[in-house]
Amino acid sequence: MTENAQQQPPAPDSELPTQYAPADVEGPLYERWVERGYFEADAKSEKPPYTIVIPPPNVTGSLHLGHAFEHTLIDALTRRKRMQGFETLWQPGMDHAGIATQNVVERELGKEGKSRHDLGREAFVERVWQWKGESGGQISGQMRRLGDGVAWSRERFTMDEGLSQAVQTIFKRLYDDELIYRAERIINWCPRCLTAISDIEVEYQDDDGELVSMKYGEGDETIVVATTRAETMLGDTAVAVHPEDERYKHLVGKLIKLPLTGRSIPVVADEHVDPEFGTGAVKVTPAHDPNDFEIGQRHNLPAITVLDEHAVITAHGPFQGLDRFEARSAIVAALRAEGRIVAEKRPYVHSVGHCSRCKTTIEPRLSMQWWVKVAPLAKAAGDAVRDGRVKIHPQEMEKRYFDWVDNLHDWCISRQLWWGHRIPVWYGPNGEVVCVGPDDEAPTGEGWHQDTDVLDTWFSSGLWPFSTLGWPEQTESLAKFYPNSVLVTGYDILFFWVARMMMFGLYAMDGTPPFHTIALHGMVRDQFGKKMSKSFGNAVNPLDWMDKYGSDALRFTLARGANPGVDVPIGEDWVQGSRNFANKLWNATRFALMNGATVEGELPDAARLSATDRWILSRLNSTVAEVDALYEDYQFAKLSDALFHFAWDEVFDWYVELSKTTFIAGGEAGEVSKRVLGEVLDVTLKLLHPIVPFVTETLWTTLTGGESIVIADWPTDSGFRDPAAEREIETLQQVITEVRRFRADQGLQPGQRVPARLTLDGTALAPHEAAIRQLLRLQPEGDAFAATATLPVGGATVALDLSGTIDIAAERKRLAKDLAAAEKEKAQATAKLGNEAFLAKAPDNVVDKIRGRLSKADEDIERIKNQLDGLPEA
C-alpha cells in the first residue's frame, strides 16, 4: 500500500443523497482505489499469497459480456481474499494476438492502397507497435469501468521485453531437450491469413458440398472412390483398400490409371481403410490430407503438392492457376466428359473446418513447420490432475480435460506471420541450424539468416502464470506468487490455453503446476439460452447496460447466473432487477443512518438484545458461514442468491421494518437496535462488496467512517446462533403474512387502518404487539369494536372489525368457491398418488410435482377454512 493509502481520508458525509446515481460514483471511486494502491501486491509481504492471472484479452479486443462475466468472478474472489488478509495479486495484461492483430493492421494498410510487403517486415512490425500504442488495448479502460481490482503497475504484454526473454528461454530449453523439432507434416492452412493454424483454431461447421464418386483404372482393373474435394485428385499417389477386403485383393500391388494426369498409381492395402464405408476404397493424397499423409508414410508414397498457399492449383495442365473451388467444378466436368463419374450427390452436408479468425475454409497442406513433442508434457499435465495436485472444478469437467491431454497430437507452433515472437533459430550457408537463447549471440556473417516464422500466440500465453512474475529470473514475485491459487476461465479454452499452461508450467517450474485449482465457468447467452452473436442480432455491449443501470447491477446479474461450468443466460430485465436491488440497499442504509444506526462501541451482549435483535444476528452469522462455504466451492450463483434473499427478505423487509417500532419507542431498546442495525448493515455490505463494489463502498464509508471497504476485514462467523429467537420471529412473520394476505383478499388498501383485538397472552408474540399493529395498520379496538373476522394464527388470535369495509355474504360465497377448488385439487392429487400403476411409470420429477400440488392444496384448505371461521354469519 502506498503512503497515501495509509492516510485517513476526510470523514464522509453523514447523509446520503436521496437517490443512488452510479454514474456520479463509480469513476471517481475507482480512481481513488487505484491512487491509494489498494490493488497492488507486495512480494515482500509476510501475508499469505493469493494469486490469479487474468486470461489475457487480445490487444485488438473490447469488453464483451464474456469478459465482464469472467472478470466479475475473478474480482469477487480477489476482493474477498484481500479483505481476509491475503497478499492478493490479480495479474493484468494483454495478448499480442498474432493473426488477429496482423489482420487489423493489414486492413488499415489496405485503406492506404498498401500491403505489408510494400513496407517490408521491419517497418510493418513498427507499424503494428504504433497501432498498439494508439488504438490497442481499449479494454483496459473498460476494465476500470467494471471495477476490476487488478495490479495495474504489473500490467504485462506478451510481446514486452521480459516476456520475450521468457519465450526465447523456454524455446531454447525445449529445443535442447529435443521436445521442439522441425518437420514436414500436414497442417491446417488458412489461404486468407496465409499461415498455419493449430487444430484448436479450426472451427467446424456443416456446409453444403458435393460427394462425387469417380472411377479410376480401366477394364477389370477399375476401382471407384468418392471425395468431397475432387480437386485434390491431381495429387493422388495411391488408392488404399483394407487388406482383408476380398473385392480388391487382386488389385493390391498393381498400378492403375489416374484420370486426367497421365500417371499410374498403386493400389495399397492399409488397415486404416474401413471396408464397410462407401466402396471400401479411398483415394490417397499425402500432401493434402492428414490421414492420407500417414498412409503415405507407411507405404513410402510420394507427396505431390497441387495447391499453393493461396489454394490455387499448381499442377501442370489445364487446371493450373484455378482457385480450388473453380478447379473442383472444372475437374468434375472433365471426369464426367470421360465417363468416369459414377455418382454425384448435391447438396452433401458435411463438416468442414474454417479458420476461427477469418472464417475461410482451411486447407490441409503439407508444410515444413516447427512442432512441440507433446507426449511427455501432456502426460505430466494429466498426472498433475490425477494425483490431486491440481483440482478441476466442477469435477465432472475432468473427463473433458483427460480426453484432450491423453490424446494430444504434436503441436504445430510456427506461424507464417510477421507479428509475433520470431522463432530464435538461425540457418547457416552450409546447412547449419543454431537455436539461440536470450544470453547467446546470434551467428553473423554471409549466408546466415533467422527463421522467418513466428510462434503461435498460445506459445507465449502458455507461459503467462510465471513469465508475468519475471521468469526465467528467480524474482521475489515469482517466489511469492507462483503457483497461482486458482485459474478462473471458460470451459471453451480448456484446450486452447489451460492445457498449454499446465504443460509449460510443469516443465519450466520443476514439476510445480501453475495453479492449484482450475475453476471453469460457462458462456454468457441471451435470456432464451441462445448464443450471443452480431449475426443473430442479440449481441449486447456491456457498456450500454453499465451506462444505463450501473456496473454493480451488471456484475450482480452475471454473478447470480454463475453456476460452475454451466452457460449463463442474461437479459436486460434481470439487470434492471439488480439495479432495483442496489437502490433498495441504498434506501435501507439511508433509513438506518437517518435513524441513528451506528457501528460505534461493542455490540451489546445477548441479555440486552430483544428477540428481534437476536434473530437477525443469528441469521447474519448463518449467512456469513453459508457465503464462505459457497465461495470456497466457487458457487457464485448460490452465494449471490443467498445474499440477495438475506439482504432483501430478512434485513430490508423484516428487520428494518421491525426496527421502526423500536426506534419510535426509544429508550434503551431503541439504542440497542441502532447498534444492531449498524452491525447488520456493516457485515452485509462487506459480504456484498466483492460482487457489487461501488455502492457498497459508498454506503459502508458513510455508515462507518472507515477509509475503504476494499481494505476492511472480511466478516467472520462469531458462532452466535439463537434457534429460539429464530422460531419466535418466524411465528411473528407468519402472523403478519397471514393477516396481510387476509387483508388483501378482502380488498383492503395496504395503508388502510382497521380496528383489531389481539389475543397474544401466553404466546411468544406478546412482546411484539406494537410491531404487529404498526406493520399491519391495526388500530386499538375502541368502545364500538365488533369482531367481524377472527384469524387464529401462530398460537395467537387476531380479531378484525371490518364493519362497512366488506360484503360478508359475497366474501363467504367467494371463499366457499375457493375452498371447493382447493378440495378438488387435493382429491385429484391424492388419487394420482394412490395409483400404484401411475407411480410405477411416472418420472420422479412428475411425482414430486404432484406431491407439491397436494401439499399446496392442504395449505390452501386450512387457510380458507380459517378465513371462513373468522367471518361472522351473513
Side-chain angles (χ1 to χ4, degrees):
M1 191 181 301
T2 64
E3 285 187 26
N4 288 340
Q6 297 171 359
Q7 296 173 2
Q8 196 72 9
D13 295 333
S14 59
E15 293 186 1
L16 292 167
T18 55
Q19 290 184 323
Y20 176 49
D24 296 340
V25 169
E26 294 175 351
L29 266 188
Y30 188 84
E31 292 310 313
R32 189 187 312 162
W33 292 335
V34 172
E35 288 168 7
R36 292 177 177 175
Y38 293 156
F39 304 139
E40 296 302 324
D42 183 2
K44 293 182 169 61
S45 168
E46 295 184 0
K47 296 178 182 178
Y50 186 81
T51 317
I52 295 181
V53 293
I54 194 172
N58 287 354
V59 67
T60 59
S62 60
L63 191 74
H64 57 63
L65 272 178
H67 288 125
F69 172 55
E70 185 168 80
H71 291 198
T72 294
L73 305 187
I74 298 175
D75 199 39
L77 291 174
T78 52
R79 284 179 182 269
R80 172 174 174 260
K81 285 296 182 180
R82 191 176 293 111
M83 295 171 75
Q84 286 182 316
F86 286 78
E87 193 62 34
T88 303
L89 169 60
W90 182 8
Q91 174 67 54
M94 286 181 291
D95 192 280
H96 66 277
I99 296 177
T101 305
Q102 181 157 318
N103 283 348
V104 168
V105 178
E106 285 196 83
R107 282 197 296 271
E108 292 296 314
L109 283 175
K111 296 175 184 177
E112 303 170 15
K114 297 178 182 177
S115 74
R116 60 180 165 126
H117 300 285
D118 294 325
L119 272 67
R121 183 170 193 140
E122 186 175 338
F124 176 77
V125 171
E126 287 181 8
R127 179 70 176 258
V128 180
W129 278 108
Q130 178 185 342
W131 174 88
K132 190 256 181 186
E134 295 173 356
S135 307
Q138 61 175 309
I139 201 168
S140 296
Q142 295 165 343
M143 287 167 60
R144 293 170 182 264
R145 283 289 312 277
L146 191 64
D148 288 1
V150 299
W152 287 112
S153 69
R154 292 173 173 265
E155 187 175 13
R156 303 303 297 270
F157 180 54
T158 51
M159 286 282 286
D160 68 27
E161 184 177 351
L163 271 64
S164 294
Q165 183 183 24
V167 168
Q168 201 171 347
T169 299
I170 201 163
F171 188 100
K172 171 71 170 170
R173 291 187 187 179
L174 289 164
Y175 181 87
D176 290 346
D177 287 343
E178 299 183 347
L179 292 173
I180 281 183
Y181 63 95
R182 193 170 185 240
E184 194 173 40
R185 297 273 187 85
I186 292 287
I187 49 91
N188 302 301
W189 181 264
C190 176
R192 159 62 184 79
C193 298
L194 297 179
T195 182
I197 59 175
S198 65
D199 291 343
I200 52 178
E201 292 170 301
V202 177
E203 294 179 348
Y204 287 91
Q205 66 184 48
D206 288 341
D207 285 357
D208 287 345
E210 60 182 358
L211 180 66
V212 179
S213 298
M214 48 197 181
K215 183 170 60 176
Y216 288 4
E218 302 287 354
D220 293 336
E221 296 181 352
T222 60
I223 195 165
V224 175
V225 297
T227 183
T228 58
R229 299 164 66 221
E231 69 278 8
T232 63
M233 61 86 60
L234 300 176
D236 287 357
T237 56
V239 171
V241 297
H242 194 274
E244 297 177 7
D245 194 330
E246 294 293 335
R247 294 172 294 177
Y248 302 118
K249 278 194 172 181
H250 69 289
L251 291 177
V252 173
K254 292 187 176 182
L255 295 175
I256 61 172
K257 182 179 179 181
L258 178 66
L260 307 181
T261 66
R263 292 189 289 114
S264 292
I265 58 176
V267 177
V268 300
D270 195 281
E271 292 188 352
H272 169 76
V273 180
D274 180 1
E276 303 298 323
F277 184 76
T279 63
V282 296
K283 61 190 285 298
V284 181
T285 321
H288 293 284
D289 184 275
N291 293 322
D292 293 3
F293 177 79
E294 297 297 332
I295 294 174
Q297 293 287 295
R298 288 193 288 271
H299 298 277
N300 296 314
L301 300 173
I304 302 174
T305 299
V306 296
L307 290 164
D308 68 9
E309 65 268 24
H310 297 281
V312 170
I313 297 293
T314 59
H316 182 70
F319 311 107
Q320 188 173 9
L322 293 180
D323 169 83
R324 55 183 164 166
F325 300 119
E326 295 171 335
R328 183 174 301 172
S329 299
I331 287 171
V332 171
L335 289 169
R336 191 183 299 114
E338 288 190 6
R340 290 189 174 275
I341 298 298
V342 176
E344 296 178 71
K345 185 176 181 180
R346 294 188 188 89
Y348 179 71
V349 179
H350 61 130
S351 182
V352 177
H354 296 260
C355 173
S356 62
R357 301 304 195 297
C358 69
K359 312 308 176 188
T360 301
T361 301
I362 63 102
E363 191 64 45
R365 186 167 184 262
L366 187 63
S367 180
M368 183 67 75
Q369 302 284 346
W370 285 94
W371 304 80
V372 171
K373 185 190 292 184
V374 300
L377 303 174
K379 181 181 184 303
D383 290 346
V385 175
R386 287 189 169 95
D387 63 24
R389 281 175 290 157
V390 178
K391 306 287 186 187
I392 293 181
H393 187 86
Q395 191 173 0
E396 54 265 27
M397 286 286 183
E398 282 186 3
K399 183 179 183 302
R400 295 183 65 177
Y401 177 79
F402 292 135
D403 286 346
W404 179 255
V405 298
D406 292 348
N407 298 286
L408 206 54
H409 300 296
D410 283 1
W411 172 20
C412 177
I413 55 172
S414 46
R415 298 292 181 267
Q416 289 65 55
L417 303 171
W418 288 356
W419 173 244
H421 294 281
R422 196 164 172 182
I423 288 175
V425 172
W426 271 254
Y427 304 104
N430 300 310
E432 302 96 332
V433 179
V434 176
C435 182
V436 176
D439 299 324
D440 300 333
E441 289 289 333
T444 57
E446 186 177 350
W448 283 93
H449 65 280
Q450 186 177 357
D451 196 299
T452 58
D453 289 350
V454 301
L455 288 163
D456 178 9
T457 298
W458 297 103
F459 190 96
S460 52
S461 60
L463 314 180
W464 192 248
F466 51 94
S467 64
T468 52
L469 297 172
W471 187 91
E473 301 299 323
Q474 297 305 305
T475 64
E476 287 182 319
S477 289
L478 188 64
K480 179 73 174 179
F481 296 113
Y482 187 91
N484 287 196
S485 306
V486 62
L487 173 74
V488 178
T489 192
Y491 62 71
D492 60 322
I493 57 172
L494 181 61
F495 317 130
F496 282 90
W497 189 44
V498 179
R500 276 125 172 77
M501 287 190 289
M502 286 286 284
M503 290 191 296
F504 282 166
L506 289 159
Y507 173 80
M509 299 300 293
D510 300 320
T512 302
F515 18 74
H516 298 301
T517 301
I518 302 168
L520 298 171
H521 59 72
M523 304 297 101
V524 178
R525 297 181 177 272
D526 71 12
Q527 59 189 326
F528 306 108
K530 190 174 182 180
K531 180 181 178 180
M532 286 191 172
S533 166
K534 289 181 180 178
S535 60
F536 294 157
N538 63 351
V540 173
N541 183 346
L543 295 175
D544 293 341
W545 281 353
M546 286 192 278
D547 288 342
K548 194 170 182 180
Y549 303 110
S551 298
D552 286 332
L554 176 64
R555 290 171 60 116
F556 196 60
T557 305
L558 291 166
R560 287 192 78 182
N563 290 297
V566 178
D567 287 346
V568 183
I570 185 172
E572 185 169 359
D573 288 350
W574 306 344
V575 184
Q576 185 174 357
S578 295
R579 189 272 312 274
N580 295 343
F581 175 67
N583 289 343
K584 186 83 169 179
L585 189 64
W586 183 272
N587 292 334
T589 307
R590 187 168 178 270
F591 164 83
L593 289 168
M594 291 171 62
N595 284 275
T598 181
V599 295
E600 296 296 325
E602 293 294 322
L603 198 64
D605 57 41
R608 297 177 58 202
L609 300 175
S610 68
T612 307
D613 294 332
R614 295 196 306 276
W615 159 73
I616 196 61
L617 291 174
S618 181
R619 290 294 307 125
L620 179 67
N621 278 284
S622 295
T623 301
V624 170
E626 180 182 9
V627 168
D628 273 335
L630 292 170
Y631 258 118
E632 295 304 316
D633 199 33
Y634 305 101
Q635 297 281 357
F636 297 99
K638 290 182 179 178
L639 72 89
S640 300
D641 216 43
L643 285 169
F644 174 86
H645 287 294
F646 172 71
W648 194 303
D649 299 348
E650 297 185 85
V651 179
F652 306 156
D653 281 358
W654 285 107
Y655 187 71
V656 168
E657 291 301 313
L658 290 168
S659 297
K660 290 178 180 178
T661 307
T662 312
F663 293 155
I664 292 170
E668 183 185 5
E671 294 305 310
V672 168
S673 287
K674 290 176 184 178
R675 179 64 187 88
V676 171
L677 180 55
E679 181 75 12
V680 170
L681 287 173
D682 175 25
V683 173
T684 301
L685 291 169
K686 288 175 179 176
L687 292 174
L688 283 165
H689 172 72
I691 300 172
V692 285
F694 294 108
V695 68
T696 51
E697 169 81 336
T698 306
L699 296 176
W700 186 84
T701 52
T702 305
L703 172 71
T704 68
E707 179 183 341
S708 173
I709 197 171
V710 176
I711 54 172
D713 291 335
W714 181 254
T716 55
D717 175 13
S718 70
F720 177 79
R721 300 290 191 279
D722 194 328
E726 291 194 33
R727 288 192 298 271
E728 182 175 328
I729 301 306
E730 285 172 9
T731 303
L732 174 62
Q733 291 171 333
Q734 181 186 2
V735 169
I736 292 171
T737 301
E738 286 296 320
V739 176
R740 280 176 173 167
R741 182 184 297 164
F742 180 79
R743 286 176 56 112
D745 288 343
Q746 312 312 311
L748 298 178
Q749 295 299 314
Q752 186 174 349
R753 294 196 169 272
V754 177
R757 176 185 298 148
L758 305 184
T759 306
L760 307 175
D761 293 344
T763 74
L765 299 176
H768 301 287
E769 179 168 356
I772 293 172
R773 287 189 177 277
Q774 173 69 22
L775 294 178
L776 291 173
R777 304 295 190 268
L778 302 180
Q779 298 176 188
E781 53 192 274
D783 296 336
F785 179 81
T788 58
T790 304
L791 303 175
V793 58
T797 302
V798 179
L800 304 174
D801 183 352
L802 303 178
S803 303
T805 61
I806 61 171
D807 183 334
I808 301 297
E811 185 59 23
R812 275 192 164 277
K813 186 175 180 181
R814 185 186 70 79
L815 288 172
K817 184 178 179 181
D818 290 348
L819 180 61
E823 288 174 336
K824 181 179 179 181
E825 174 73 1
K826 178 179 179 178
Q828 290 174 341
T830 302
K832 282 194 174 183
L833 292 173
N835 185 334
E836 294 296 332
F838 170 78
L839 293 176
K841 295 180 181 179
D844 290 345
N845 65 317
V846 173
V847 175
D848 289 343
K849 188 174 180 179
I850 293 172
R851 286 182 178 137
R853 284 169 49 193
L854 177 60
S855 176
K856 175 71 165 49
D858 282 334
E859 292 175 3
D860 289 344
I861 289 168
E862 182 181 4
R863 175 177 57 81
I864 295 167
K865 283 183 175 179
N866 286 338
Q867 291 178 10
L868 282 167
D869 291 342
L871 288 174
E873 294 299 326

